Amino acid sequence: MIPSQWVEDAVVRVSGFVRMTPLTFDPKLNLILKWENHQVTGSFKLRGAANKILSLTEMEQKRGLVAASAGNHGQGVALVARQVGCRSIVFCPSSTPLTKLNAMRALGAELHLIDGDYATVEKQAEEYAIMQQMTWISPYNDGQVIAGQGTIGLEILRQMDPFVAKVCVVPIGGGGMLSGIGAAFENIKNPVKIIGAQSTASPFFHSLFHHGNQSGQVELPSLADGLAGAVEENSITIPMVNKYAQDIILVDEEEIGQAIAFCWYHFGERIEGSAAAALAAVLTGKISERPALVILSGGNIQPELHQELIDRWPLSSMENFN
């Protein structure tokens, strides 16, 4: 657990690095939408990376930073590392979309591409950080990273006054964003249900939440690559998600792809698969409470893949997908 004061402190700490992203309301769907695809790096992950790195001592920064990422966390780490003048190394699955790899390189990150699933990549990255005596920047299993992600929640409370959402739908992979938003919303007057959304292709936190373990779960290729991978054993996010989440639900790959297409047709917004998992959860009726607040976590999707999904699900096929 982290104190809510950490989230308030993070707002001040990251203010020069992140931007306030739009919050909009769709009266037809009765949805409140938080557009983190408008963040500086195209993803909410910048918030946690910035708060963690800026909380380090100068010596910890100068040792150099190591991260594991499917792309978005790595971009955040690389951007902040460049601005504070330190080295960044990011371990990535070899399947990471080229758009994200190029973005990390452009921000100055040194990339190590690893064959295997995300858990394998994360383990190798942590071992490398220890061996090289560099500073490890976890994408979720860290109190300051979680506090940084929680700035989304405090930002929403400033943008929505009074707070009217009955449910908040959050994409979940390692659980950092849900944990941070839960901490930010802990003391609001109008309690809100917090529900995580995850792909059936990588249902690790769903299994942890509902069964208390993630054994037997298999990571398959997913449009929601940012949510993929097993959760680190004894992660701080496990008790936090158990405390703050009312449920974690699954959406399948087809529903995620349709949500990406729907978002383009209906809102003119480009979102990636991780963000679409949360949107799919409400568009398919798996979450029926309204008004629903949906956290659209990022927009870093390969352009060719986005066009392929638009072509696969034309506007005419979207009539009943809401």
Side-chain angles (χ1 to χ4, degrees):
M1 302 299 170
I2 65 168
S4 57
Q5 182 62 45
W6 282 22
V7 184
E8 295 176 15
D9 293 342
V11 170
V12 177
R13 189 176 287 126
V14 306
S15 61
F17 289 79
V18 306
R19 64 169 62 115
M20 179 179 287
T21 54
L23 186 76
T24 63
F25 177 64
D26 185 303
K28 178 182 177 182
L29 298 175
N30 205 3
L31 296 181
I32 303 156
L33 302 146
K34 181 61 169 169
W35 299 99
E36 281 293 294
N37 58 323
H38 288 257
Q39 194 47 263
V40 175
T41 57
S43 164
F44 81 100
K45 287 282 192 177
L46 174 61
R47 296 174 182 267
N51 192 54
K52 174 60 179 179
I53 296 167
L54 296 173
S55 72
L56 297 173
T57 65
E58 184 178 357
M59 181 177 293
E60 289 170 324
Q61 292 176 354
K62 294 303 181 184
R63 286 176 186 159
L65 312 176
V66 178
S69 177
N72 289 334
H73 177 61
Q75 289 180 60
V77 170
L79 174 63
V80 182
R82 184 176 69 178
Q83 294 193 22
V84 301
C86 64
R87 183 184 179 196
S88 63
I89 297 176
V90 183
F91 283 64
C92 305
S94 55
S95 59
T96 301
L98 184 61
T99 296
K100 294 181 177 180
L101 294 175
N102 288 341
M104 287 184 282
R105 288 192 181 102
L107 290 168
E110 303 168 36
L111 302 185
H112 291 204
L113 302 184
I114 306 298
D115 292 333
D117 60 17
Y118 182 80
T120 300
V121 175
E122 189 171 48
K123 181 179 179 181
Q124 290 194 30
E126 286 191 82
E127 291 173 349
Y128 181 90
I130 293 169
M131 183 175 62
Q132 299 295 323
Q133 297 184 333
M134 298 176 73
T135 302
W136 169 242
I137 310 295
S138 172
Y140 58 86
N141 188 15
D142 184 284
Q144 294 295 354
V145 170
I146 291 169
Q149 317 303 27
T151 62
I152 299 171
L154 293 186
E155 193 169 288
I156 289 168
L157 294 178
R158 292 201 299 271
Q159 292 172 302
M160 190 197 320
D161 187 15
F163 187 84
V164 297
K166 292 184 178 179
V167 61
C168 176
V169 189
V170 184
I172 186 167
M177 177 163 52
L178 192 149
S179 298
I181 289 175
F185 285 173
E186 190 165 17
N187 298 316
I188 61 176
K189 293 181 180 179
N190 300 319
V192 58
K193 293 181 181 179
I194 301 178
I195 297 178
Q198 188 166 52
S199 173
T200 55
S202 189
F204 292 96
F205 225 125
H206 178 270
S207 183
L208 276 170
F209 185 83
H210 288 283
H211 307 297
N213 64 75
Q214 52 190 331
S215 60
Q217 302 305 313
V218 177
E219 181 182 332
L220 299 173
S222 176
L223 292 169
D225 56 281
L227 307 181
V231 181
E232 190 171 6
E233 187 176 353
N234 299 319
S235 173
I236 186 177
T237 56
I238 297 173
M240 293 188 74
V241 169
N242 286 336
K243 176 181 180 180
Y244 294 126
Q246 275 65 56
D247 198 3
I248 295 177
I249 66 166
L250 296 175
V251 292
D252 64 34
E253 290 297 301
E254 181 169 295
E255 290 165 340
I256 291 171
Q258 288 179 310
I260 291 172
F262 180 89
C263 192
W264 181 254
Y265 294 130
H266 195 75
F267 301 111
E269 292 280 357
R270 186 189 302 267
I271 60 171
E272 62 186 87
S274 300
L279 184 60
V282 294
L283 293 178
T284 57
K286 293 175 180 171
I287 297 173
S288 58
E289 294 98 327
R290 297 291 187 275
L293 167 62
V294 182
I295 310 298
L296 298 162
S297 55
N300 294 324
I301 185 171
Q302 192 82 4
E304 297 84 357
L305 175 58
H306 188 263
Q307 187 60 53
E308 177 188 329
L309 296 171
I310 299 303
D311 293 341
R312 187 183 307 172
W313 286 290
L315 181 59
S316 59
S317 70
M318 296 286 108
E319 293 178 0
N320 297 318
F321 193 62
N322 58 72

